[in-house]
Amino acid sequence: MVELNSKEEKKQFYRMVCTLVLPMALQNLINVGVQSADVIMLGKVGETALSASSLAGQVMFIMSLIFFGLTSGAAVLTAQYWGKRDTRTIEKVLGMAMRIAIFVGILFTVAVYTIPYPIMKIFTSEPEVIEAGVSYLKIVGISYIFTAITMVYLNLMRSVERVIISTVVYSISLVVNIVLNSIFIFGLFGCPALGIRGAAIGTLVARVTEFAIVMWYAKFKNKEVRFQIKDLFVRDKKLQKDFLVFAMPVLINELLWGTGTSMLTAVIGHLGSSMVAANSVAQVVRQLAMVISFGLSNATAIVIGKAIGEGKENFARLYSKRFIKLAVIVGAAGGALILMISPFVQANMNLSDQAKSYLNVMMFVMAYFALAQSYNCTMIVGIFRAGGDTKFGLYIDVGMLWGFCLVVGSIAAFWLKFPPLVVYMILMSDELLKIPFSTWRYRTGKWVRNITR
């Protein structure tokens, strides 16, 4: 056995981190690329199309966060069982997660087809933006069930160190999305120029492509952790109890956090289309700068969860310290990147002068936001969840977002009538406020728990 904190052990650790982080960072970059394609191309069409797709995309954003929460919670179990090499239990957990995800996908699909106008009115009061957003939702809504299956499968495969398949799937999806967006948005090769509906068609076809590849891989390539239809109906009382105890707080956390983030977008939506357009660009740039940080937090959960499952708690504690240092370095680099590319982004977007002035300040806000988010994400999504400490993340995420940002931001926007950018800074303050609380929790050491049976 390699000695703890030896030169050889450090080499093995950083080699393992690179093996996990780089494919997931590339995968995150590809996902941002898909969003960037919509933003850049619809930015050429105009602010209404850009704002409508951004606001309508909040439905997919909330749904994706439910899937992320579901699989992050399930990964608390699967990563530790992977440390024990208990693949049959992992298959059962996959079946439980998939069952919930399919139900959620159906629910969201029904919602966008039965009440699309009320949904859009949550985010904006501008009639032309609502109309364009509804046309987008009615096409993209078809993809939700495909997305449910794809996301859950690929996210749980990450927890058992199968990260390359996700990169392959999303790389192909990116190419499909960009090519079809170009054709259908602008009317290339004799096709009609469909604008925002063209972006929706490109997204739909890309999601179906992802699903097809995942199903082929699950059936013919992945012989170690199998996805079987019978596991959708699996009944294991002890495992279901563990799933509820450890996975459900994460699911609730992501659902409330995602809903809260969408409510922040709704507040911004009522400040005018210029704010919405500028924010949609700023958020894509932030996500671009965070691709390595998000990959790092996912790698943290895998590595620490596996170490705890193997009974190596001393390794888990040492690894956590190293991951925190990496999170600060990577987050600072991401913030610097945002500031560096800000002039280029503003020069190449077809935005009004007012939207560009908003974007200038938003990019500065996103720079320090990225550093804080990198730190908190590694702590909460990586370290705490890997150790089975899932409730603390729920309390801190929901408390700061709903208890402070939304309440104070709404008062500042609608009652005190603060300037839009002041409201924006208040709405985007939650990551800064979480830092002292997540640091305190880490230092208590209460996050380390072996939850396998």
Side-chain angles (χ1 to χ4, degrees):
M1 183 176 176
V2 179
E3 184 181 346
L4 188 66
N5 222 7
S6 66
K7 188 175 182 180
E8 182 61 27
E9 183 274 325
K10 287 180 181 178
K11 278 186 179 180
Q12 287 185 8
F13 170 79
Y14 287 109
R15 193 182 302 120
M16 175 172 55
V17 169
C18 287
T19 301
L20 291 171
V21 171
L22 293 179
M24 288 192 284
L26 178 59
Q27 186 184 132
N28 292 332
L29 179 61
I30 292 165
N31 288 337
V32 175
V34 172
Q35 296 178 47
S36 300
D38 283 354
V39 169
I40 293 170
M41 294 183 192
L42 290 175
K44 299 292 184 182
V45 175
E47 281 189 17
T48 297
L50 177 57
S51 298
S53 67
S54 173
L55 295 176
Q58 291 301 304
V59 178
M60 179 65 187
F61 172 72
I62 294 173
M63 188 180 70
S64 296
L65 281 173
I66 294 174
F67 299 151
F68 177 73
L70 180 64
T71 51
S72 294
V76 174
L77 294 166
T78 56
Q80 291 198 17
Y81 277 109
W82 183 242
K84 293 182 70 173
R85 293 290 165 174
D86 184 351
T87 56
R88 181 57 195 140
T89 299
I90 293 172
E91 290 170 353
K92 291 179 181 179
V93 173
L94 174 61
M96 292 176 187
M98 195 71 76
R99 183 169 65 222
I100 297 171
I102 292 172
F103 173 77
V104 171
I106 293 171
L107 192 65
F108 271 72
T109 300
V110 171
V112 298
Y113 276 96
T114 55
I115 52 169
Y117 286 94
I119 288 173
M120 284 302 301
K121 287 178 181 177
I122 294 172
F123 302 107
T124 182
S125 56
E126 299 184 23
E128 64 276 14
V129 175
I130 292 172
E131 198 65 42
V134 167
S135 68
Y136 183 88
L137 281 175
K138 286 187 174 180
I139 297 171
V140 169
I142 302 170
S143 71
Y144 292 166
I145 297 173
F146 297 112
T147 301
I149 296 170
T150 300
M151 281 192 66
V152 169
Y153 183 83
L154 293 179
N155 285 353
L156 280 182
M157 287 306 101
R158 285 178 174 183
S159 68
V160 296
E161 300 179 278
R162 286 181 174 267
V163 296
I164 301 298
I165 178 60
S166 297
T167 306
V168 173
V169 168
Y170 290 125
S171 295
I172 295 172
S173 175
L174 173 63
V175 174
V176 171
N177 191 264
I178 290 177
V179 170
L180 294 183
N181 268 11
S182 302
I183 293 172
F184 294 128
I185 291 176
F186 302 114
L188 304 181
F189 306 115
C191 293
L194 299 175
I196 190 171
R197 289 186 296 129
I201 294 170
T203 299
L204 170 60
V205 177
R207 297 293 175 252
V208 173
T209 303
E210 293 169 3
F211 171 79
I213 299 170
V214 163
M215 289 298 96
W216 173 82
Y217 175 82
K219 184 171 179 60
F220 297 108
K221 289 293 182 181
N222 190 355
K223 304 298 183 182
E224 194 165 12
V225 179
R226 295 177 178 273
F227 171 48
Q228 304 173 85
I229 298 298
K230 68 177 184 179
D231 286 334
L232 293 174
F233 310 98
V234 70
R235 291 289 182 269
D236 184 324
K237 289 184 179 180
K238 289 183 178 180
L239 189 59
Q240 285 178 330
K241 181 181 177 182
D242 289 343
F243 190 91
L244 289 172
V245 170
F246 297 106
M248 292 311 292
V250 180
L251 174 57
I252 295 168
N253 182 358
E254 295 298 336
L255 176 58
L256 292 177
W257 185 82
T259 306
T261 301
S262 289
M263 290 302 99
L264 295 183
T265 304
V267 173
I268 294 169
H270 289 282
L271 298 176
S273 61
S274 292
M275 279 290 288
V276 173
N279 180 58
S280 65
V281 175
Q283 293 299 333
V284 168
V285 173
R286 176 190 61 80
Q287 290 171 11
L288 172 65
M290 289 293 293
V291 293
I292 297 178
S293 293
F294 290 147
L296 184 67
S297 67
N298 288 324
T300 303
I302 295 167
V303 172
I304 293 180
K306 183 182 177 184
I308 294 173
E310 292 172 336
K312 300 176 181 177
E313 292 187 4
N314 53 342
F315 277 84
R317 293 179 189 276
L318 176 63
Y319 293 164
S320 69
K321 292 178 182 178
R322 293 174 182 169
F323 277 119
I324 291 170
K325 290 177 182 177
L326 288 171
V328 173
I329 294 169
V330 170
L337 176 65
I338 291 172
L339 295 177
M340 287 171 58
I341 67 174
S342 178
F344 173 80
V345 172
Q346 294 178 60
N348 286 275
M349 293 303 297
N350 184 24
L351 301 175
S352 64
D353 290 340
Q354 186 178 45
K356 286 183 178 179
S357 69
Y358 288 152
L359 181 58
N360 187 44
V361 177
M362 287 178 181
M363 295 290 266
F364 173 75
V365 174
M366 288 299 101
Y368 65 73
F369 187 94
L371 173 57
Q373 189 175 40
S374 179
Y375 179 83
N376 288 320
C377 198
T378 297
M379 283 285 202
I380 297 169
V381 176
I383 296 171
F384 298 162
R385 289 182 184 175
D389 187 14
T390 56
K391 291 183 180 178
F392 179 77
L394 170 62
Y395 300 148
I396 191 174
D397 275 345
V398 175
M400 292 302 169
L401 185 57
W402 286 90
F404 180 82
C405 293
L406 267 173
V407 173
V408 178
S410 297
I411 291 171
F414 304 124
W415 184 37
L416 298 177
K417 304 294 183 182
F418 280 5
L421 287 174
V422 175
V423 174
Y424 189 80
M425 290 181 183
I426 295 171
L427 295 174
M428 297 294 147
S429 63
D430 60 314
E431 293 295 344
L432 289 176
L433 297 173
K434 285 191 287 191
I435 289 175
F437 295 97
S438 56
T439 303
W440 165 79
R441 183 65 175 185
Y442 172 76
R443 288 177 176 172
T444 66
K446 294 180 179 179
W447 53 270
V448 183
R449 298 174 63 188
N450 190 322
I451 60 176
T452 61
R453 293 184 181 274

